[in-house]
Amino acid sequence: MKVNIADFTTFIAVARHKSFRAAGDELGLSPSAISHAIKQLEQRMKIRLFNRTTRSVSLTEAGLNLYERLRPAFDEINTMLDEMNCFRDTPIGTLKINAFRVAARLMLMPLVAGFTRQYPEIKVEIASEDRLVDIVQQEYDAGIRLSATVEKDMIAVPIGPKMKLVVVATPDYLARHPAPAHPGELVKHQCVVVRFPSGRPYHWEFEGPEGRLEIIPSGNIILDDMDSGLEAVLCGAGISYLYEQQARPWLESGQLVSMLEEWLPEPEQWQLYYPNRQYMTCGLRAFLDYIKSPLPTI
């Protein structure tokens, strides 16, 4: 039986993604080329490694056994190669980050644009989603969330400017519905509700003479991300609770009006977090060094 390292590289990619297309995207090959390579490997080994249907790819028992035996060795090889990469003047490789959607757009994109100009041979892959994911299991180098949602076993460093929250509506809406003077009066208004992937609505937090208040908004528009909430409030759908950086252009133009400013909580800062382990990829190390430099104003 004659096989080479490239055969097993393809096998590892398909086993990890459980998809010929995703493996092809990783390796820069077409799905048909990936399928052909796996078929040839199976023929040479005289054993079936994957179960295939029109909708899914899964490992056979033999394939799973092979994957579990090979993966630690491949991880060790990749670690060694990345450590050697750090001796280069210009590192190469891929940096994979999972980020909250609004953080990816408002804060991360300007940083990544500057980072890739400084490190043109590092490719940055960003998955923007609001659900909480296990970045180790999903094989991300780092994640970006607010500190309250970062697991305690992670290393977290502040990234980007602090994010101020605002309560906003259009002048037209406020002409029909007088602005609330107290957070408790929001129950009388149509609020644009943002719901987390878990199904729980995003609670609006306030701080004032009465201490900390938490309002569960209600309204007839329920969305799954804050950018859609901005679009809804611009259409006159009601009141929304957003990041000031999102609403700033429309606040400055007068298309939106800010309310309850004396009740707003202290601005929060996003956290870049990554596993608490000795080895760190060269791309992540370079990115951590980059964000320690003066950041652009957002």
Side-chain angles (χ1 to χ4, degrees):
M1 179 179 64
K2 183 179 179 181
V3 295
N4 56 49
I5 195 72
D7 295 320
F8 289 131
T9 299
T10 304
F11 167 75
I12 290 288
V14 176
R16 181 168 59 248
H17 294 290
K18 295 182 175 58
S19 164
F20 289 165
R21 182 173 298 279
D25 290 342
E26 177 185 323
L27 300 176
L29 299 170
S30 67
S32 60
I34 294 291
S35 178
H36 180 69
I38 293 298
K39 184 177 180 180
Q40 286 191 321
L41 177 62
E42 289 177 326
Q43 288 174 345
R44 286 197 291 272
M45 296 186 70
K46 294 182 171 52
I47 193 167
R48 190 173 184 83
L49 300 172
F50 292 97
N51 296 311
R52 307 162 177 82
T53 69
T54 55
R55 295 185 178 181
S56 67
V57 176
S58 62
L59 285 161
T60 64
E61 183 179 356
L64 179 60
N65 182 270
L66 180 63
Y67 178 60
E68 290 178 344
R69 296 289 298 275
L70 284 177
R71 181 173 175 176
F74 271 70
D75 287 346
E76 181 63 26
I77 291 171
N78 288 329
T79 297
M80 179 190 66
L81 292 175
D82 200 70
E83 287 174 345
M84 295 302 296
N85 177 37
C86 291
F87 289 98
R88 291 168 45 91
D89 292 334
T90 305
I92 62 175
T94 301
L95 172 62
K96 297 178 66 176
I97 301 175
N98 184 286
F100 196 73
R101 279 185 282 190
V102 70
R105 185 177 66 81
L106 291 176
M107 178 272 297
L108 186 57
M109 294 306 178
L111 291 176
V112 167
F115 175 72
T116 53
R117 284 194 296 269
Q118 184 166 325
Y119 297 95
E121 294 188 73
I122 294 181
K123 180 171 67 174
V124 181
E125 295 182 8
I126 299 171
S128 54
E129 54 184 326
D130 293 344
R131 68 184 181 96
L132 295 177
V133 302
D134 184 332
I135 62 170
V136 175
Q137 184 182 50
Q138 299 296 319
E139 299 186 335
Y140 291 103
D141 296 301
I144 294 177
R145 293 292 187 276
L146 293 173
S147 57
T149 60
V150 176
E151 295 292 339
K152 300 302 182 184
D153 61 347
M154 295 286 168
I155 298 174
V157 296
I159 181 172
K162 291 185 176 181
M163 304 288 283
K164 177 184 176 182
L165 288 158
V166 290
V167 179
V168 295
T170 60
D172 178 64
Y173 175 85
L174 295 176
R176 293 179 283 113
H177 309 276
H182 184 279
E185 296 178 14
L186 287 166
V187 297
K188 303 175 184 178
H189 287 265
Q190 281 290 339
C191 297
V192 177
V193 181
V194 175
R195 188 160 56 191
F196 290 112
S198 65
R200 184 179 75 85
Y202 182 53
H203 294 183
W204 297 7
E205 297 178 354
F206 299 93
E207 294 175 0
E210 303 167 28
R212 184 175 178 273
L213 299 175
E214 193 171 89
I215 304 296
I216 302 176
S218 62
N220 54 14
I221 295 181
I222 302 172
L223 304 165
D224 68 350
D225 78 283
M226 296 180 78
D227 283 334
S228 296
L230 172 61
E231 293 301 321
V233 78
L234 285 169
C235 293
I239 296 177
S240 193
Y241 187 75
L242 305 167
Y243 288 110
E244 190 272 341
Q245 287 90 337
Q246 284 178 281
R248 184 181 297 163
W250 295 275
L251 289 168
E252 292 176 347
S253 69
Q255 291 175 264
L256 289 179
V257 176
S258 175
M259 298 162 284
L260 301 172
E261 293 182 355
E262 67 276 15
W263 288 91
L264 294 172
E266 289 295 315
E268 294 184 282
Q269 193 160 22
W270 297 104
Q271 303 290 317
L272 176 78
Y273 65 97
Y274 53 95
N276 185 7
R277 59 190 182 195
Q278 184 176 2
Y279 172 69
M280 182 190 302
T281 65
C282 195
L284 178 57
R285 183 178 291 110
F287 190 66
L288 287 169
D289 289 340
Y290 178 80
I291 65 174
K292 292 175 183 177
S293 61
L295 301 178
T297 301
I298 298 178

